[in-house]
């Protein structure tokens, strides 16, 4: 074999070893305990072992088993042999002039995905992706022009946060900052989270767990385009806050902007929200409303919007449209947005205008997209170790 072939064989062997190991990130404490027991760890030690490993990984950000120094040498070797701490690798990082950071990430699974960190004076928000591409194609959204490649797995949901915390050195050892830089999470990146419910839930469970990344459920907001059958599950099974991408006040316009509306109409969506479990004034539902010039920004729209949300503890986020290459809409003027927002405010609804962040690096709402495509059936690229972008 020549050098190149040797190297290829080496790489293949490495990735196969990696693929055979159990991925530690994304495993719940119970799932990790089960794996340890199956592999021969004594049951009486398991609960302590799980806590120790979680503390290294999620509190200290330590990914090298050899450095987990309060574990016995034998146990570290055992972990090394059976588990991988694989998490997304940063392929590319861009920093906007407003400080927003956009990352292109990949794992050993197919495809690449983007995630964003938005720093503010009082918080630092990670905008997580839930899928590569999207099955829906909202006409104003850049992600919607990328066909679904695949769902992200729990280790990739948690891994997005870990990769960012690494990049920011946001671990407890780093006493430079007295507070955590990553304080909030929005699931508003690529994809529709309620079409990947179980993986998103399992990832968020670890992010919220007090021995995991320990972010309060009230600092996490999941945004959906309106997958009605899964909306109540957000309150009942995840417990984080909910945002709804409404964007229109009539079915005719919403069918055009958010085509999932043809499946679940505005009436069905609002009914499900009126019956949403745990509704209280301290846990309002956020309605997202992208402001598109001459499409959905009339004052009649504002009045209809007030009627639609009546009876729901709500906050309405007005999002100036963020253009992307090839988009066919124009943003509403700031004057129109102000008039629109005044009507909502007079009716008693908080209606902040979302400040676009990271626009210069296409990191703002609805601008994310990667070049990954879904491999054709029977193609060489079906090999999970093969990464295309
Ligand atoms: N799929 C989910 C979450 C991701 S999109 C959803 O649709 O809710 C996050 C938010 O950005 C949504 O409210 C979406 O409608 C909005 N958005 C998409 N494209 C946009 C654009 N070009 N300008 C402004 N907001 C956009
Ligand atoms: Fe998908 Fe949300 Fe974009 Fe619609 S707005 S295409 S649901 S990511």
């Amino acid at each position: 074999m020549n050098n190149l072939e040797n190297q290829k064989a080496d790489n293949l062997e490495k990735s196969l070893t990696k693929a055979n190991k159990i991925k530690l990130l994304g495993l719940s404490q119970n799932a990790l305990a089960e794996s340890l027991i199956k592999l021969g760890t004594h049951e009486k030690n398991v609960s302590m072992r799980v806590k120790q490993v979680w503390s290294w990984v999620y509190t200290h950000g330590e990914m090298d088993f050899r450095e987990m120094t309060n574990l016995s040498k034998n146990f570290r070797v055992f972990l090394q042999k059976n588990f991988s701490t694989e998490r997304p690798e940063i392929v590319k990082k861009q920093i906007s002039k407003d400080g927003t950071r956009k990352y292109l990430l990949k794992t050993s699974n197919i495809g690449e995905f983007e995630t964003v960190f938005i720093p503010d004076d009082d918080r630092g928000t990670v905008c997580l992706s839930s899928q590569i591409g999207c099955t829906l194609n909202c006409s104003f959204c850049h992600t919607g022009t990328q066909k679904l490649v695949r769902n992200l797995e729990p280790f990739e949901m948690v891994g997005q946060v870990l990769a960012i915390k690494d990049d920011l050195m946001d671990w407890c050892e780093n006493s430079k900052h007295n507070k955590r830089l990553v304080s909030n999470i929005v699931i508003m990146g690529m994809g529709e989270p309620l079409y990947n419910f179980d993986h998103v839930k399992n990832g968020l469970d670890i992010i919220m767990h007090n021995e995991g990344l320990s972010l309060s459920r009230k600092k996490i907001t999941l945004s959906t385009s309106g997958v009605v059958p899964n909306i109540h599950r957000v309150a009942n099974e995840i417990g984080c806050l909910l945002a709804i991408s409404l964007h229109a006040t009539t079915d005719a316009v919403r069918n055009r902007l958010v085509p999932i509306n043809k499946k679940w109409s505005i009436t069905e969506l609002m009914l499900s929200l009126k019956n949403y479990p745990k509704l209280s004034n301290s846990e309002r539902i956020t309605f997202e409303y992208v402001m598109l010039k001459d499409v959905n920004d009339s004052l009649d729209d504002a009045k209809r919007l007030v009627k639609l949300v009546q009876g729901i503890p709500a906050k309405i986020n007005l999002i100036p449209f963020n253009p992307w290459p090839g988009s066919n809409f124009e943003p509403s003027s700031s004057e129109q947005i102000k008039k629109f927002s005044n009507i909502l405010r007079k009716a008693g609804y908080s209606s902040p205008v979302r400040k676009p962040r990271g626009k210069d690096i296409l990191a703002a709402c609805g601008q994310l997209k990667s070049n990954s495509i879904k491999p054709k059936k029977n193609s060489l690229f079906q090999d999970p170790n093969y990464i295309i972008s």
Side-chain angles (χ1 to χ4, degrees):
M1 277 199 279
N2 63 29
N3 263 356
L4 190 68
E5 280 170 338
N6 269 339
Q7 204 184 339
K8 268 190 187 164
D10 247 22
N11 285 346
L12 185 64
E13 195 187 317
K14 261 191 211 150
S15 53
L16 284 178
T17 325
K18 220 173 169 186
N20 288 336
K21 290 185 178 181
I22 301 169
K23 289 193 181 93
L24 184 83
L25 301 182
L27 283 187
S28 67
Q29 290 201 340
N30 282 344
L32 176 57
E34 265 174 38
S35 300
L36 291 176
I37 291 169
K38 254 194 217 151
L39 291 165
T41 307
H42 204 293
E43 242 174 86
K44 89 174 197 294
N45 297 329
V46 160
S47 145
M48 187 185 70
R49 295 283 195 230
V50 167
K51 285 181 194 307
Q52 285 171 322
V53 172
W54 263 46
S55 162
W56 278 113
V57 171
Y58 297 118
T59 311
H60 300 275
E62 182 56 67
M63 294 294 143
D64 184 344
F65 293 119
R66 289 168 302 187
E67 300 297 321
M68 300 186 178
T69 45
N70 65 348
L71 304 179
S72 73
K73 181 95 191 294
N74 281 349
F75 188 55
R76 280 183 263 165
V77 173
F78 161 87
L79 287 172
Q80 179 91 40
K81 199 174 131 212
N82 294 292
F83 291 89
S84 89
T85 49
E86 186 195 344
R87 58 167 143 169
E89 199 181 295
I90 298 175
V91 179
K92 188 171 166 192
K93 175 170 95 177
Q94 289 169 277
I95 305 182
S96 154
K97 51 181 191 266
D98 70 16
T100 299
R101 289 166 179 238
K102 182 167 84 165
Y103 302 84
L104 181 67
L105 303 176
K106 71 165 189 185
T107 64
S108 58
N109 293 342
I110 275 165
E112 296 180 340
F113 48 101
E114 294 190 313
T115 189
V116 177
F117 176 71
I118 309 151
D120 264 309
D121 292 343
D122 60 337
R123 68 181 64 191
T125 306
V126 172
C127 178
L128 289 184
S129 291
S130 55
Q131 299 182 308
I132 303 184
C134 191
T135 50
L136 306 171
N137 45 357
C138 303
S139 46
F140 52 87
C141 173
H142 201 199
T143 310
T145 64
Q146 180 182 12
K147 279 200 183 142
L148 181 74
V149 177
R150 67 176 175 87
N151 286 333
L152 293 178
E153 293 184 27
F155 86 97
E156 294 169 315
M157 297 296 301
V158 181
Q160 291 175 64
V161 187
L162 297 181
I164 291 181
K165 282 174 81 74
D166 259 358
D167 186 51
L168 301 170
M169 296 196 293
D170 187 28
W171 295 109
C172 61
E173 279 77 8
N174 188 354
S175 54
K176 235 182 7 193
H177 342 280
N178 280 327
K179 55 181 181 137
R180 292 199 293 186
L181 295 178
V182 172
S183 63
N184 292 58
I185 290 193
V186 292
I187 298 122
M188 296 187 185
M190 299 165 68
E192 169 47 61
L194 296 192
Y195 274 152
N196 184 20
F197 190 90
D198 291 342
H199 287 174
V200 168
K201 174 194 155 38
N202 291 340
L204 287 179
D205 280 351
I206 294 170
I207 291 171
M208 293 186 291
H209 197 294
N210 59 6
E211 286 164 337
L213 288 173
S214 192
L215 262 98
S216 151
R217 65 179 190 86
K218 290 193 175 179
K219 303 264 177 185
I220 300 178
T221 305
L222 179 150
S223 170
T224 177
S225 58
V227 181
V228 169
N230 280 346
I231 286 182
H232 287 198
R233 295 180 71 195
V234 176
N236 293 332
E237 297 177 42
I238 300 179
C240 65
L241 305 182
L242 177 70
I244 298 288
S245 294
L246 188 59
H247 305 317
T249 60
T250 65
D251 282 327
V253 177
R254 195 161 192 269
N255 285 347
R256 214 181 112 209
L257 298 180
V258 189
I260 200 177
N261 195 69
K262 293 180 199 154
K263 206 163 184 180
W264 295 291
S265 66
I266 294 184
T267 311
E268 284 169 277
L269 176 61
M270 298 319 284
L271 185 66
S272 136
L273 298 175
K274 285 193 172 129
N275 298 322
Y276 191 68
K278 281 202 218 157
L279 261 194
S280 75
N281 273 324
S282 71
E283 281 182 42
R284 289 175 295 176
I285 292 177
T286 301
F287 287 91
E288 294 159 284
Y289 198 94
V290 64
M291 298 294 293
L292 303 167
K293 187 176 178 195
D294 298 334
V295 175
N296 65 355
D297 65 348
S298 72
L299 302 188
D300 281 344
D301 275 309
K303 288 174 199 155
R304 275 195 295 269
L305 185 50
V306 168
K307 281 211 178 114
L308 279 177
V309 299
Q310 225 162 36
I312 303 174
K315 169 178 151 190
I316 300 162
N317 259 353
L318 301 178
I319 318 177
F321 170 63
N322 296 311
W324 36 270
S327 58
N328 287 326
F329 294 97
E330 279 179 62
S332 309
S333 67
S334 40
E335 231 170 56
Q336 189 64 14
I337 298 180
K338 212 182 265 167
K339 284 186 198 158
F340 196 99
S341 151
N342 276 342
I343 294 181
L344 303 179
R345 203 161 313 126
K346 274 193 194 134
Y349 292 97
S350 153
S351 53
V353 178
R354 196 182 284 172
K355 202 167 127 210
R357 298 290 304 268
K359 247 171 123 171
D360 52 333
I361 54 166
L362 283 186
C365 278
Q367 292 184 317
L368 303 189
K369 182 177 179 177
S370 75
N371 292 323
S372 302
I373 47 165
K374 189 176 179 162
K376 295 225 164 45
K377 268 198 178 142
N378 303 326
S379 93
L380 166 69
F381 300 107
Q382 284 290 88
D383 179 346
N385 297 310
Y386 219 106
I387 298 169
I388 49 169
S389 63

